[in-house]
Every structure is written in structure tokens, then in C-alpha cells.
Amino acid sequence: DAGVIQSPRHEVTEMGQEVTLRCKPISGHNSLFWYRQTMMRGLELLIYFNNNVPIDDSGMPEDRFSAKMPNASFSTLKIQPSEPRDSAVYFCASTRSYEQYFGPGTRLTVT
Amino acid sequence: GNSVTQMEGPVTLSEEAFLTINCTYTATGYPSLFWYVQYPGEGLQLLLKATKADDKGSNKGFEATYRKETTSFHLEKGSVQVSDSAVYFCALSDQVRSSASKIIFGSGTRLSIRP
């Protein structure tokens, strides 16, 4: 089992640019979660999907953030336009029941 | 709503010391309880879980008991090692509907072990 796969692992971009983070959940898992982690705010749930359908996006900070899950094996989190305060580690996690399996994260730096 | 409160860190101990990290929760119904661990530069990993009252979860020498009467799920280890240095998150399941649930995480407790 390859686990949850995220790409890229590191992203450095300039303010105003579009950023797309990618996630491949574990095969057979029917829920997918996007989190953001910073020193100041800790771990925040941004959005989660069940059977590819968004269930709760109340954690998405602004309209600049959007997430899609076109099929059971792929999800994206897009930030457009990016801002320095978006710098954080973004985690994707998937679950079949209650146990969440986290990916290694994408460290985003917006300059 | 459901919530988790855990002791603030950082916690610094010497190797072979006894560890307790306190965690209490507020929940309706009967949530499952978890401890996750995050090593530097990695994502969170499930350390142990308990699904009903009086259950004891255990893994890698760590233990926690689901105490409904005190709404607690304290993490303990009898003898810590340098390799246990990490951030520990207490969490509970929050079932939104029968087909979907999410996990509510505490704020995390950073543990540092001195050789």
C-alpha cells in the first residue's frame, strides 16, 4: 500500500500566482480531507469529501481557495491568487471509517 | 459542538521518565477517541484508538483509556525514549451523517526527550 500521495512536496511561488496541490488517496477509502498546518493556527480542516462529494467546506478561508475531487483517486486544492499568509504545510488525509491516514504534506511558501 | 482539550506544551522529559499528556473531550453521543503522533517533517500517524467506554488503546508502549465518567483520554508511557520526541494530538470522531464523519483534533502537545 503506497499510502496517501501528495505532490509537490515543496512549492515556492510568488504572491499572485496560482498554486495547485494534488492528492491521491488510498485506494478504497471513501472520504478525503484537506488540512492546513501553521505554527500560529495549528492544524485546520479546510474541506472534506465523502464519495467525491464535498460535505463541509466551512474551513476554506476565502474564495481564493477551491477544491475538487473529480474521481475517487484524485483531488486538488487550488489557491488563486496566492498570498504570503497562505504559506503553510497542507496535508491531505483519507479514511474508510474513522481512522485517518495522512499524506506527507506539501510545504507551500509564498513570497 | 464536539471539542477536544489537551495540555499545552512543550513538555520536556529525561529519557526513561514517565509520561502523561492530559486530554479531555466534550461530545454528544459515543465518539471514538484517538491519539495521533507527528514526527518532524511528516504527516500525522495514528498512534492508538479506543472506540467505547473503558476501552484501552495501546501501541509502542503508549496507552490511553477511554473514561466516559471523566470525559478523558490521557496518554501515558512508562519509560520514554529520545525517539518519542514528536507532537501528540488527541482527537475524537465527529459523525456528521451515517456515511461521513470527520475527526476533531486537539491543539497538539510537543514532547521533547533529553538523552
Side-chain angles (χ1 to χ4, degrees), chain B residues 26-105:
Chain B
T26 301
T28 56
Y30 303 94
S32 295
L33 302 176
F34 309 89
W35 277 99
Y36 280 78
V37 58
Q38 184 179 28
Y39 299 103
E42 299 183 11
L44 281 69
Q45 305 173 24
L46 179 65
L47 179 61
L48 54 85
K49 69 176 181 180
T51 58
K52 60 183 187 296
D54 299 325
D55 266 3
K56 178 185 285 187
S58 61
N59 186 25
K60 299 181 181 180
F62 291 90
E63 294 183 340
T65 301
Y66 191 144
R67 301 287 189 198
K68 196 171 191 313
E69 64 276 13
T70 55
T71 62
S72 65
F73 193 56
H74 305 320
L75 182 68
E76 297 181 337
K77 186 174 185 181
S79 176
V80 293
Q81 305 300 313
V82 172
S83 57
D84 294 327
S85 297
V87 181
Y88 292 81
F89 293 86
C90 186
L92 62 78
S93 60
D94 187 22
Q95 187 150 10
V96 176
R97 60 183 74 164
S98 61
S99 60
S101 64
K102 64 180 181 182
I103 292 183
I104 294 175
F105 288 92

Side-chain angles (χ1 to χ4, degrees), chain A residues 27-40:
Chain A
S27 177
H29 284 192
N30 61 352
S31 294
L32 183 141
F33 301 76
W34 282 101
Y35 293 90
R36 177 172 68 176
Q37 187 176 41
T38 63
M39 289 294 293
M40 291 296 294

Side-chain angles (χ1 to χ4, degrees), chain A residues 22 50 60 87:
Chain A
R22 297 173 176 80
N50 183 254
M60 297 286 262
S87 297

